Amino acid sequence: MGRGQGKEVSVDYIDLPQVLSARGTVRLPGSKSISNRLLLLAALASGETELHDLLASDDTARMIEALRSLGVGIEPLAEDAFRVNGVGGSFPVRQADLFLGNAGTAFRSLTAVLALAGGDYRLSGVPRMHERPIGDLVDGLRQLGAGIRYLDGEGFPPLRISSPGPCAAAVVRLRADVSSQFLTGLLMALPLRGVETTVEVVGELISRPYVELTLASMARFGVQVIRDGWRRFTVAAGSAYRSPGIVHVEGDASSASYFLALGAISGGPVRVEGVSLDSLQGDVRFADALAVMGATITSGDNWIEATAGSGRLQGITLDCNHIPDAAMTLATVALFAEGPTSVRNIASWRVKETDRLAAMASELRKLGATVEEGDDHIRVLPPASIRGLRPAAIDTYDDHRMAMCFSLAALGTPLRINEPKVVSKTFPDYFERFGAVTRAVPVVAIDGTSASGKGTVASRVADALGWHYLDSGALYRLTALAARRAAVDWHDEAGVAAIAATLDVAFAGRVISLAGEDVGDAIRSEEISAGASLVAALPAVRAALLFRQRAFRRPPGLVADGRDMGSVVFPDSMTKVFLTASVEVRAERRHKQLIEKGIAASIAALSLDLRERDERDSQRSVAPMQHSADAELLDTTNLTIASAVAQVLDWVKKVSERG
Ligand code: DC
């Protein structure tokens, strides 16, 4: 994961190279939904519970923190295992101020539990949490005598909770068409009342599989909810949670969706371990959706595997009410399908970590899709060919699933994902796992000194391999030329960086144009060469050109020449070469080129100029030219171009053979 280069740039992002193929096995992190349910139930139960394979993430950390503030003993046994000392239904701490971040599972269920447990509590979260509705749950709890006040807006957190008044109500009417977490929270809290209580669901109940998870989790702790379909749920008098001893958390089915999608789109096979098609987690049904689109899905006891089917995936229309999270993955898989995909009945997207309908629509459009955003559905029409996907910088809206589902677009284009650390909400090492099962478009990086012949060598290597070629120096030269034409001083860092960011360039074969004009010769003048070296030393300019350079990395491969190809722009290059020659030989070569073009020049002046440029390129503070230890040194002082090319191709071949 990269921080922007240079002091001026504070944006956090990760650049994903285009992915050629994906295969392998991923051990899934524990399910967020199950982890947070089991933590709360273990805390409420009598007895000690060992929770294994628990998810380590922001959302579970918020729950653990809150429970500890309430006086629950929670001791780590390993990175993903904890011992919870149950409090037997009443928390030792009766007064607390709990901050729950943006963890909906923790906020909703703790609201219900604390409202019925008694005590004086304040519950708050991040600003977005305060925009996520909770009124239907509060209305339900108030029917049971709960004392809950809104501290800010009516119907939204933060909340003040005080001990419930006496209340004999035996039936609660609850709306759960905005979030199933309201029913989940209420059901988990009901055993604290001690008397028989029935919840009657008013209107539609959304995301039903999550309620199944709740019932199953409660059953593991000894409380059987009596149910009548999806309408009535009754918790009997005298129900109380008892620790089952040791409990294992299943892998997260929503997290599985990204890897299954990788296998289905790219060929695969990609296998996820820790979950099976029999799981109660609704999001395992995402695998069925992939199968309908044409992927091949196989599964076993504790794994699911996805492979591409015989043809391209086909767009589908699907009611995703039961799988709102995996539905986001479906919307990005749509980029690779033939024809449109409609994801329907997902109004709840509007009140999640962000307004996911608006966010998905705007980011999918950046990549070149045509998107229809409805009140409760989204329709995605991808470009006619996968090659039509455009490199883009994707915003993540403080939403972990935006970052994860858009990573799939890397199967069709290089892309940048802003603020990628949002994944820590549920999957802190997501991008490392993604990297481990994907193979990126390969790069050969050829760095070296000015006029060392690296451009000629690199472009011939590209031709021999049938790969793309990036002359990164040309981008600095174009920036210098464009700045000169716009009368922006080469020392004006912000001014030149703005020009670099919006450079209107086209590389067609070996023809380079700026705003439609062929500038192949103009950028090679001695004056622009000096200007390029100056602007290249400005950190903001380098940052502005970074993603533009990475976007050249297209299948089947890229040969890139410059100063920092192997060190900064493509640090994962398969082969890195540092190419140089003595100053005298370089000056002679440059002299010959200029004479051929009819330009007069003196070898002595050229030598001096080259020495100065070497000095500046290697002494600057950011991305200095250097022969790093992982690069092969190629000194061409006494080599012909053909033998230099042959040497590079030989190195490339050796790496390919290794593997
Ligand atoms: O390779 P070239 O001579 O066309 O490069 C022009 C200038 O741009 C040169 O002074 C070094 C700079 N440059 C750079 O700093 N980083 C690169 N990757 C490529 C070129």
Side-chain angles (χ1 to χ4, degrees):
M1 200 170 302
R3 270 224 154 245
Q5 288 287 318
K7 55 191 182 318
E8 281 82 353
V9 187
S10 61
V11 194
D12 218 347
Y13 56 76
I14 183 170
D15 285 340
L16 297 180
Q18 186 166 347
V19 166
L20 276 185
S21 62
R23 63 185 305 147
T25 298
V26 177
R27 174 99 210 145
L28 293 168
S31 152
K32 172 194 71 163
S33 305
I34 299 178
S35 293
N36 267 356
R37 280 169 177 74
L38 296 183
L39 275 166
L40 181 58
L41 296 181
L44 288 172
S46 50
E48 234 176 52
T49 308
E50 270 188 26
L51 294 175
H52 290 265
D53 305 322
L54 201 80
L55 171 66
S57 72
D58 290 352
D59 277 14
T60 48
R62 292 295 84 72
M63 180 64 111
I64 290 172
E65 243 166 56
L67 292 171
R68 283 188 173 139
S69 314
L70 293 166
V72 181
I74 303 179
E75 238 181 279
L77 301 172
E79 206 190 324
D80 57 358
F82 290 85
R83 181 181 298 120
V84 182
N85 268 306
V87 297
S90 86
F91 293 113
V93 176
R94 310 280 291 173
Q95 205 168 25
D97 193 339
L98 305 177
F99 174 77
L100 297 163
N102 201 6
T105 46
F107 205 105
R108 278 70 180 264
S109 57
L110 279 168
T111 295
V113 162
L114 294 174
L116 298 189
D120 186 9
Y121 305 102
R122 184 175 176 278
L123 269 62
S124 65
V126 297
R128 175 64 186 168
M129 193 72 234
H130 296 175
E131 293 169 6
R132 297 176 69 183
I134 197 161
D136 293 335
L137 174 60
V138 171
D139 290 349
L141 289 164
R142 283 177 173 163
Q143 294 167 48
L144 297 176
I148 304 177
R149 271 194 306 123
Y150 297 113
L151 294 177
D152 211 342
E154 190 72 9
F156 297 87
L159 304 177
R160 160 82 58 201
I161 296 177
S162 47
S163 290
C167 176
V171 178
V172 187
R173 290 168 61 76
L174 182 84
R175 293 196 70 90
D177 57 351
V178 169
S179 169
S180 65
Q181 286 172 5
F182 302 158
L183 180 57
T184 285
L186 184 58
L187 287 174
M188 291 204 295
L190 285 184
L192 302 183
R193 287 193 90 208
V195 297
E196 178 173 303
T197 313
T198 295
V199 184
E200 278 184 12
V201 176
V202 184
E204 198 200 356
L205 166 64
I206 65 161
S207 312
R208 292 176 180 182
Y210 287 104
V211 176
E212 294 272 21
L213 271 190
T214 306
L215 302 181
S217 307
M218 289 170 70
R220 273 164 115 169
F221 281 80
V223 173
Q224 297 288 343
V225 176
I226 306 151
R227 62 187 281 196
D228 174 4
W230 295 102
R231 287 267 148 244
R232 287 170 64 86
F233 300 83
T234 300
V235 173
S239 296
Y241 295 120
R242 284 184 314 280
S243 168
I246 297 178
V247 189
H248 288 264
V249 177
E250 203 176 60
D252 194 295
S254 313
S255 301
S257 70
Y258 313 111
F259 297 100
L260 294 176
L262 277 178
I265 298 166
S266 78
V270 177
R271 177 179 289 205
V272 292
E273 283 181 354
V275 74
S276 77
L277 287 178
D278 300 330
S279 167
L280 287 181
Q281 293 179 66
D283 277 356
V284 290
R285 299 276 75 85
F286 173 75
D288 303 344
L290 286 179
V292 175
M293 294 178 91
T296 304
I297 302 291
T298 49
S299 73
D301 248 9
N302 196 28
W303 56 269
I304 308 174
E305 189 172 283
T307 314
S310 50
R312 196 168 156 192
L313 293 174
Q314 298 296 308
I316 55 169
T317 294
L318 194 69
D319 182 327
C320 288
N321 192 271
H322 301 339
I323 55 165
D325 286 352
M328 293 175 75
T329 319
L330 198 59
T332 49
V333 171
L335 292 170
F336 299 91
E338 202 167 338
T341 290
S342 290
V343 178
R344 312 203 75 88
N345 202 2
I346 43 154
S348 67
W349 273 17
R350 298 244 182 242
V351 293
K352 300 280 184 171
E353 280 81 342
T354 184
D355 176 344
R356 287 177 167 170
L357 264 161
M360 288 296 296
S362 111
E363 302 312 299
L364 284 165
R365 285 185 188 122
K366 284 185 185 169
L367 291 161
T370 306
V371 183
E372 177 188 302
E373 178 195 340
D375 287 342
D376 69 346
H377 78 273
I378 190 166
R379 181 176 180 275
V380 184
L381 180 66
S385 135
I386 291 170
R387 281 198 303 278
L389 289 174
R390 292 195 292 259
I394 300 297
D395 291 316
T396 48
Y397 305 76
D398 208 10
D399 184 345
H400 55 139
R401 299 209 185 282
M402 287 295 290
M404 294 189 281
C405 72
F406 273 92
S407 67
L408 298 178
L411 288 161
T413 176
L415 80 158
R416 170 166 288 188
I417 294 188
N418 288 323
E419 308 296 341
K421 294 199 184 87
V422 289
V423 298
S424 66
K425 188 168 197 288
T426 51
F427 202 157
D429 58 354
Y430 176 75
F431 287 105
E432 287 76 3
R433 308 281 194 100
F434 180 92
V437 293
T438 53
R439 195 163 69 84
V441 169
V443 178
V444 172
I446 302 182
D447 289 306
T449 49
S450 294
S452 59
K454 62 187 176 344
T456 313
V457 171
S459 70
R460 292 199 190 175
V461 169
D463 287 344
L465 293 170
W467 289 7
H468 300 280
Y469 166 59
L470 165 63
D471 171 3
S472 64
L475 287 171
Y476 292 96
R477 291 172 179 273
L478 284 158
T479 302
L481 179 66
R484 164 70 22 117
R485 289 184 174 179
V488 172
D489 190 282
W490 284 333
H491 295 93
D492 172 0
E493 181 162 2
V496 181
I499 286 189
T502 53
L503 218 50
D504 174 14
V505 296
F507 291 79
R510 301 287 135 93
V511 179
I512 301 175
S513 24
L514 180 65
E517 175 197 338
D518 180 348
V519 290
D521 287 334
I523 60 169
R524 306 272 161 215
S525 74
E526 286 306 300
E527 188 206 4
I528 295 300
S529 298
S533 175
L534 278 176
V535 301
L538 305 173
V541 171
R542 302 199 75 83
L545 291 176
L546 188 57
F547 185 57
R548 198 184 271 269
Q549 295 172 78
R550 288 177 172 163
F552 279 82
R553 188 174 185 174
R554 292 292 207 157
L558 175 70
V559 180
D561 93 62
R563 304 293 184 286
D564 60 345
M565 296 298 99
S567 57
V568 174
V569 183
F570 305 109
D572 62 336
S573 297
M574 64 180 287
T575 304
K576 300 181 186 181
V577 177
F578 188 80
L579 200 142
T580 189
S582 69
V583 170
E584 293 71 26
V585 166
R586 287 189 279 142
E588 269 169 37
R589 288 177 187 163
R590 186 89 184 110
H591 185 248
K592 196 162 153 249
Q593 272 174 359
L594 291 173
I595 298 295
E596 275 165 13
K597 285 188 193 160
I599 304 170
S602 99
I603 293 198
L606 286 171
S607 298
L608 189 66
D609 192 48
L610 281 173
R611 275 184 221 281
E612 270 176 20
R613 252 194 277 165
D614 284 357
E615 170 86 7
R616 190 156 46 213
D617 291 346
S618 54
Q619 297 306 315
R620 67 180 174 226
S621 63
V622 270
M625 172 177 76
Q626 57 188 353
H627 171 213
S628 53
D630 59 352
E632 307 277 3
L633 180 65
L634 185 57
D635 186 333
T636 64
T637 307
N638 300 309
L639 283 187
T640 60
I641 290 169
S643 44
V645 170
Q647 173 63 79
V648 175
L649 287 172
D650 192 46
W651 282 325
V652 172
K653 189 158 156 258
K654 289 215 170 84
V655 177
S656 306
E657 284 166 358
R658 278 207 303 272

